[in-house]
Amino acid sequence: MWLVKSEPETYSWANMLEQGTTAWDGVRNFQATAYLRKMQPGDRCFFYHSGSERQIVGIITVIQAFYPDLADPRFGMVDVKAGETMHTPVTLAAIKAEAALQHLALVRQSRLSVMPIDADSWQKICAMGKL
């Protein structure tokens, strides 16, 4: 399970729902790219609006494993499809307020755009989002 970030002004949850599927590209950080390489079809990801919103708004599913970015083969992408919308968006402030979520990279490495989410944290965040 993962979390991926997008600035809503660039690519929003509404865009994801409208398109249905997309290549998750544009990641230019080596640590985030390493996480993309580990993603497998069927893996689920929280879709996080970064920037001014700072909240988890939905869930997407990986449908194509990592493949190289032709523009820069040092990096790559995965293909994803839209899933559920959070009934209640889960804000970064709410996540930071939960003692059980303090270990997440979202809290500790705020600039990282792709990160793993452990099973217990996934369940906790889903409950917070009323899924």
Side-chain angles (χ1 to χ4, degrees):
M1 291 163 277
W2 308 93
L3 181 142
V4 295
K5 293 181 179 180
S6 181
E7 292 188 20
E9 299 81 19
T10 303
Y11 192 82
S12 70
W13 181 243
N15 298 130
M16 183 76 240
L17 290 174
E18 182 179 315
Q19 289 185 342
T21 63
T22 192
W24 199 265
D25 61 358
V27 175
R28 295 295 185 259
N29 171 286
F30 289 105
Q31 184 177 9
T33 297
Y35 289 139
L36 281 178
R37 286 182 190 279
K38 292 180 179 183
M39 289 182 178
Q40 295 298 313
D43 285 358
R44 299 176 82 202
C45 311
F46 287 127
F47 189 111
Y48 180 89
H49 276 173
S50 58
S52 61
E53 288 190 26
R54 296 184 182 154
Q55 60 186 359
I56 296 170
V57 293
I59 295 175
I60 57 178
T61 302
V62 176
I63 57 173
Q64 171 65 50
F66 184 89
Y67 58 98
D69 185 333
L70 296 177
D72 188 341
R74 295 176 302 163
F75 300 103
M77 61 194 89
V78 298
D79 291 347
V80 297
K81 71 175 180 177
E84 302 126 302
T85 299
M86 296 300 244
H87 294 289
T88 302
V90 180
T91 65
L92 178 59
I95 290 169
K96 285 182 172 182
E98 289 290 330
L101 300 175
Q102 295 305 301
H103 66 285
L104 294 177
L106 185 62
V107 173
R108 302 172 64 90
Q109 291 179 277
S110 61
R111 301 209 23 94
L112 194 59
S113 64
V114 178
M115 60 194 67
I117 302 289
D118 62 274
D120 289 341
S121 297
W122 182 273
Q123 293 300 325
K124 176 77 172 164
I125 292 168
C126 284
M128 292 168 72
K130 299 188 177 14
L131 284 183

